[in-house]
Structure formats: C-alpha cells, structure tokens
Amino acid sequence: GENVEQHPSTLSVQEGDSAVIKCTYSDSASNYFPWYKQELGKGPQLIIDIRSNVGEKKDQRIAVTLNKTAKHFSLHITETQPEDSAVYFCAASPTFEGGSEKLVFGKGTKLTVNP
Amino acid sequence: NAGVTQTPKFQVLKTGQSMTLQCAQDMNHNSMYWYRQDPGMGLRLIYYSASEGTTDKGEVPNGYNVSRLNKREFSLRLESAAPSQTSVYFCASSALEGRGPQHFGDGTRLSIL
C-alpha cells in the first residue's frame, strides 16, 4: 500500500524566515496531495492541496510543489508568523474506491516560529 | 456554521466496555470518514462511507464497527474496548463525491484503562 514519509519531524524558525516541509510517497498512482494544519486540541484543517496535473500552487504565504517523477511534494511557508506554529501533516491519495478518496498521512511536522 | 460535530469530546472507559462515538455534519457531504491519531503518528483511516447506506474498511478496522445512519450522521462503535484503542478519534466529511477536501471535527479523546 501507499507509504508517506514526512521530514523533518520538528522545525524551529525565527519569525519572518521561511519554512519548508518535505514529503515522499511510494505509490505512483497517487494523484491528490493535501496539507493540513493542526493546532493544539483541534482537528486538522486543510491549508492547501494540489492535484497531479499541476506542479505548483500558491495561496498568499503558502505554496506547495509537486515532483511526480521523484514522488515528492513540499510545503513552503514564507514570512512565518508566530500563529503559524502548529503541527503540519501531508497526505497522499492512492485510490478512489467506492466514491471516496482514501488519504494516507505522514507522521507530522511540529513547526515552532520564535518571535 | 458548525461543520463536523463530534460527541463526546472526552471519555474514559474500562477494558471490555462498549461505546459509540457520534459524528454529524451539516454541509450536505456524501462521504464521511473515521480516523484515529496516536502520538507521533499521522492519522490512520479506520472506516469510511462513500454515501448513505455504504461503509468500507480502511487501514485499521479491527475492533471497530460503523453505522451510516443517514446522510448527516456516521457513528463509530467499540464493542469491547481495549487499552490499545486509547487514542484521539477524528471524524471527517467531504463533498464532490469524495474527491475533495476533507473537513475534520475537533476529535474525541478516548482513554481505556
């Protein structure tokens, strides 16, 4: 089955710096790659996603890049702010069975933005 | 603007007890999902439901059952709780016939002694 590896597990940056989180996946059939942000005591919240027919997508300070040949995708956060501190999860969807995308998640990256 | 609502938020059980976790969404979504999250792990899919009346197993279904009661509600049942089922459980839903962003509830924190 699909396996998603996420690095690093923890990341500490200074406010205003950029942060990059990387994920690799194993199933070449995966075609949907969302990123989620999880704050303490809350459920994951989608922040950006990309499908395999595009290589990059941006939304203000957040961008995701996808390299299907190498089977990896990355989250880029620019001009980080303390409120960006959270746990970030990547995911990949290897199948679309029975009318649902079945996501496989990475183990998460705890991002700390120091003021 | 509730989105996905999970009840209860916290629960402590003894080994062998049974319990049902409730989930309801008000976004008219077709697909619903149950995940568990353990420390240092990502989210792992337990069961999902593509539409009302259908359910299917995910990655870690053993020890659980589900019911898609109607389009809004998807419940997760532990028939005989075990300490290994201590976890945070998240329910999610998605539109676009399952091809779309999954919206999560805030979880049920379950401890089994």
Side-chain angles (χ1 to χ4, degrees), chain A residues 44-112:
Chain A
Q45 181 177 15
L46 179 77
I47 55 173
I48 196 166
D49 57 6
I50 192 169
R51 294 197 180 270
S52 59
N53 56 340
V54 298
E56 182 176 1
K57 183 176 178 180
K58 294 182 73 174
D59 183 3
Q60 299 182 343
R61 296 186 296 109
I62 294 172
V64 57
T65 58
L66 171 65
N67 183 329
K68 285 223 74 180
T69 302
K71 290 190 281 189
H72 67 70
F73 56 112
S74 301
L75 178 71
H76 305 254
I77 306 174
T78 59
E79 301 174 20
T80 54
Q81 302 167 3
E83 51 265 40
D84 294 329
S85 296
V87 179
Y88 292 81
F89 292 96
C90 64
S93 178
T95 57
F96 183 66
E97 294 179 3
S100 291
E101 283 182 315
K102 294 170 65 175
L103 296 177
V104 177
F105 284 82
K107 293 184 178 181
T109 296
K110 183 177 182 180
L111 174 65
T112 302

Side-chain angles (χ1 to χ4, degrees), chain A residues 5 7 28 34 37-38 40 46 48 60 70 103-104 112 114:
Chain A
E5 299 281 344
H7 299 280
S28 58
K37 175 183 180 182
Q38 186 177 27
L40 197 61
L46 179 77
I48 196 166
Q60 299 182 343
L103 296 177
V104 177
T112 302
N114 301 300

Side-chain angles (χ1 to χ4, degrees), chain A residues 2 31-32 34 36 38-46 49 51 87 89 93 95-108, chain B residues 31-33 35 37 40-45 48-51 56-59 90 96-107 109:
Chain A
E2 174 67 282
N31 58 11
Y32 175 59
Y36 286 85
Q38 186 177 27
E39 298 176 338
L40 197 61
K42 297 290 188 181
Q45 181 177 15
L46 179 77
D49 57 6
R51 294 197 180 270
V87 179
F89 292 96
S93 178
T95 57
F96 183 66
E97 294 179 3
S100 291
E101 283 182 315
K102 294 170 65 175
L103 296 177
V104 177
F105 284 82
K107 293 184 178 181
Chain B
S31 295
M32 298 185 73
Y33 312 81
Y35 293 89
Q37 183 177 38
M41 305 287 287
L43 289 92
R44 292 182 291 169
L45 183 64
Y48 67 99
S49 170
S51 61
D56 210 341
K57 295 178 181 179
E59 180 185 353
F90 288 98
L96 300 177
E97 298 182 339
R99 282 188 183 276
Q102 293 187 16
H103 300 262
F104 285 80
D106 282 338
R109 284 145 186 84

Side-chain angles (χ1 to χ4, degrees), chain B:
Chain B
N1 198 21
V4 178
T5 303
Q6 293 185 237
T7 55
K9 295 188 185 303
F10 303 93
Q11 186 69 47
V12 178
L13 294 178
K14 295 181 180 178
T15 298
Q17 287 185 318
S18 62
M19 168 161 197
T20 299
L21 280 61
Q22 306 287 352
C23 174
Q25 53 91 8
D26 61 3
M27 296 173 284
N28 201 34
H29 286 171
N30 287 321
S31 295
M32 298 185 73
Y33 312 81
W34 276 105
Y35 293 89
R36 62 177 289 173
Q37 183 177 38
D38 301 297
M41 305 287 287
L43 289 92
R44 292 182 291 169
L45 183 64
I46 305 171
Y47 270 92
Y48 67 99
S49 170
S51 61
E52 184 179 352
T54 68
T55 62
D56 210 341
K57 295 178 181 179
E59 180 185 353
V60 288
N62 291 345
Y64 305 96
N65 286 301
V66 291
S67 295
R68 184 73 183 268
L69 304 170
N70 47 55
K71 191 172 185 179
R72 290 186 64 248
E73 298 172 289
F74 189 37
S75 62
L76 179 71
R77 183 161 177 85
L78 288 69
E79 290 291 352
S80 179
S84 61
Q85 295 178 304
T86 293
S87 189
V88 182
Y89 291 86
F90 288 98
C91 177
S93 68
S94 68
L96 300 177
E97 298 182 339
R99 282 188 183 276
Q102 293 187 16
H103 300 262
F104 285 80
D106 282 338
T108 293
R109 284 145 186 84
L110 182 61
S111 294
I112 300 162
L113 306 177

